[in-house]
Amino acid sequence: MSPCGPEFARARALLGTLVSMRLSGAPQSTLEAASSAAFARIARVQALMSAHDERSELTRLNRRAHLEPVTVARETHDVLCLAARLHAATHGLFDPTTGAVLARWGFIPGARRDAPGAGFTDVLLDDEQRVRFARPLHLDLGGIAKGYAVDLAMETLRAHGVGQAVVNAGGDLRVLGEVAEPIHVRAPSDDGRFVCVTTLANAALATSACYWSTRRVGRARVAPQIDPRSGRSCPRAWSVSVQAPTAAVADALTKVVMIGGLETGPWLRAFAATAFVVTRAGDVLCSSEASVA
Amino acid sequence: MESWVRLTIPAAIVLTGGQAWAERYATVEEAQARLFPGESLSPQTLTLSDQQAQAIEKASGVRVRVKRLKLWRAQGGGWFFVDEVLGKHEYITWALALDPDGAVRDLEVLEYRETYGYEVREAKWRAQFRAKRHGAPLRLDHDVRNISGATLSCRHIADGVKRLLATHDVALRP
């Protein structure tokens, strides 16, 4: 990163992963205050949407929303509205109601059963931030909340007058500023190699891959990427990265490409997104010719 | 397959591993200034006895790997630890600040490192790491900032917090 003025960096453990910020383009005291405020917003998203927190709003939704409407925070409502748009646009391929399967396989806590055939269309939102489930559901926002948290952090940094920043939450990252940042994606061979797939200015990129998260369930190898159409895991040996204007959209679309494969081009374009698939053999496939440097 | 394109060099540049690299976020001094603003911190020497280590392991459920603590006492009575936990292939250096009553004030990650080419089996890897520690410093090859990949879990840091809270209870609480 070529800093303009002092460079400030800070990293914390949040959202179940390492969240780092590198800032410049403002006086030191501004960068410090901005990063504290930005981390506070990330901590709020964690408190609202963590699957691992008994007291989170998400846990409350999963326990109560099929019994009575639950009023949620603006952030939770925003995420659910975005999830609904993505669900509709991808014909249900993006569906965060796969929590029951994830819990059964031990990826997240909770033993709640969902009703057979339940899906995101059973999540009902109104204009007053109330959420109701038409049937018992297990919602898991792990596929979108990290990206959303990064977006909120970025909004805060911008509001504080930070000129250049990279916020990186466990690989879901967003760049603020005109100076293009090179992005290094881990090769799915997980052998210390990285592929510089693109450079980013004022954009976000997220990655999904299974090389660190597969588990054995019985005789099968499963990964936390679930195809909502079948309820089955799709542990591809790919690394899927998506570049998009926001981190939340990038985050969600990585799952769509991982599950839907190379047929998902039109959906990427609909969200002004580009995908980079790194295969185990080391090939890098890009969904858009326009992105080739 | 539609209009997907296979990227070729220079757009797909593979940076080879085999050596170590690090992402540095903050120094100990920077973290101290942030977590205890305006307070001076004095370094403490504390090496846990076997008994203390066992008590900490029992209370926290987390193994005590290192008995010699990197610890500072803040002017106002708080505590500042610098600790290391396992990341993927190397250690993460992090700092924990406790209030005078032993409650967590805040924590920060100072440095994240990775190395490859070693067996991940602990004993052999530890020996390599120790040798590098006392011998030549780990060579940092490339500036691989802005890394995106599978999500690294910070579970070990959460375990580290439990271990250090128990450490405070066992060895530091008056």
Side-chain angles (χ1 to χ4, degrees):
Chain A
M1 184 163 151
S2 47
C4 15
E7 193 185 80
F8 174 90
R10 191 168 177 193
R12 302 193 50 192
L14 280 166
L15 306 172
T17 187
L18 194 62
V19 182
S20 69
M21 293 186 195
R22 292 190 187 277
L23 321 182
S24 62
Q28 182 75 14
S29 55
T30 301
L31 300 180
E32 294 214 15
S35 93
S36 290
F39 275 118
R41 294 202 83 187
I42 293 176
R44 175 147 169 87
V45 172
Q46 174 176 295
L48 291 170
M49 297 178 220
S50 171
H52 301 270
D53 186 350
E54 280 275 297
R55 300 151 303 174
S56 73
E57 216 165 55
L58 178 68
T59 301
R60 194 153 54 93
L61 279 175
N62 284 327
R63 284 185 180 152
R64 307 289 315 162
H66 64 288
L67 300 169
E68 66 204 356
V70 175
T71 305
V72 296
R74 186 190 62 79
E75 292 93 331
T76 307
H77 191 250
D78 280 353
V79 168
L80 291 175
C81 286
L82 177 60
R85 271 182 50 215
L86 286 156
H87 179 265
T90 61
H91 301 179
L93 211 49
F94 179 76
D95 190 327
T97 60
T98 52
V101 181
L102 292 173
R104 206 147 51 231
W105 291 341
F107 287 113
I108 57 174
R112 278 176 290 285
R113 296 203 167 282
D114 51 5
F120 201 76
T121 46
D122 294 309
V123 176
L124 308 168
L125 312 168
D126 70 13
D127 293 327
E128 273 149 53
Q129 288 172 210
R130 277 191 302 239
V131 182
R132 195 165 62 80
F133 294 166
R135 294 189 258 195
L137 278 185
H138 193 153
L139 201 58
D140 176 64
L141 298 175
I144 188 173
K146 267 211 306 300
Y148 179 75
V150 168
D151 290 331
L152 290 191
M154 205 42 100
E155 195 178 86
T156 299
L157 295 177
R158 197 186 287 115
H160 274 75
V162 175
Q164 183 82 20
V166 181
V167 177
N168 189 338
D172 287 6
L173 55 85
R174 187 162 168 179
V175 178
L176 166 70
E178 300 305 324
V179 178
E181 297 277 343
I183 308 300
H184 301 98
V185 171
R186 285 182 197 277
S189 42
D190 189 26
D191 56 3
R193 287 186 296 161
F194 299 85
V195 183
C196 178
V197 296
T198 191
T199 61
L200 285 191
N202 285 319
L205 183 137
T207 301
S208 273
C210 306
Y211 44 83
W212 287 348
S213 56
T214 61
R215 320 178 145 211
R216 182 134 264 142
V217 172
R219 263 179 301 183
R221 208 100 268 249
V222 297
Q225 269 83 20
I226 314 286
D227 185 333
R229 302 166 296 190
S230 63
R232 283 215 251 280
S233 162
C234 3
R236 272 195 223 256
W238 283 355
S239 166
V240 173
S241 298
V242 171
Q243 171 183 340
T246 65
V249 167
D251 198 359
L253 289 177
T254 59
K255 284 76 189 172
V256 171
V257 176
M258 183 67 88
I259 296 164
L262 302 179
E263 306 294 309
T264 54
W267 295 334
L268 291 163
R269 284 188 280 281
F271 284 91
T274 303
F276 302 92
V277 168
V278 185
T279 69
R280 222 184 143 85
D283 290 322
V284 182
L285 305 169
C286 176
S287 64
S288 157
E289 275 188 43
S291 284
V292 178
Chain B
M1 172 106 163
E2 304 184 329
S3 55
W4 291 67
V5 175
R6 180 172 275 105
L7 296 187
T8 52
I9 294 163
I13 299 164
V14 179
L15 301 174
T16 51
Q19 273 88 31
W21 57 268
E23 282 229 55
R24 291 198 182 88
Y25 303 108
T27 62
V28 169
E29 293 71 32
E30 282 166 350
Q32 286 175 339
R34 271 200 283 265
L35 300 182
F36 291 102
E39 293 181 55
S40 64
L41 284 92
S42 57
Q44 314 282 302
T45 33
L46 178 57
T47 304
L48 300 169
S49 67
D50 286 345
Q51 235 178 340
Q52 286 175 319
Q54 273 168 31
I56 291 163
E57 287 182 351
K58 188 156 183 240
S60 65
V62 182
R63 219 162 66 91
V64 173
R65 245 186 343 97
V66 170
K67 295 211 183 83
R68 177 112 133 260
L69 303 180
K70 284 206 202 107
L71 179 60
W72 286 257
R73 190 86 197 263
Q75 202 173 1
W79 297 96
F80 181 89
F81 296 84
V82 171
D83 191 75
E84 288 185 333
V85 294
L86 190 59
K88 253 309 150 180
H89 297 265
E90 251 286 1
Y91 282 117
I92 297 172
T93 305
W94 65 293
L96 177 69
L98 299 185
D99 283 333
D101 64 356
V104 175
R105 171 178 290 211
D106 208 346
L107 74 85
E108 278 203 26
V109 173
L110 304 182
E111 188 171 306
Y112 174 86
R113 292 185 294 286
E114 279 193 17
T115 56
Y116 288 85
Y118 300 125
E119 288 257 285
V120 188
R121 246 175 296 166
E122 216 181 353
K124 186 174 175 187
W125 165 83
R126 254 197 286 150
Q128 295 270 31
F129 178 60
R130 224 180 272 123
K132 288 266 153 91
R133 256 267 164 82
H134 298 306
L138 291 168
R139 192 154 65 90
L140 302 174
D141 268 326
H142 306 284
D143 183 8
V144 280
R145 283 185 174 182
N146 308 326
I147 288 159
S148 192
T151 309
L152 176 83
S153 161
C154 66
R155 192 186 73 245
H156 292 140
I157 292 184
D159 287 346
V161 173
K162 278 194 228 156
R163 174 172 39 80
L164 290 182
L165 285 175
T167 303
H168 173 270
D169 259 353
V170 164
L172 299 174
R173 197 182 278 286

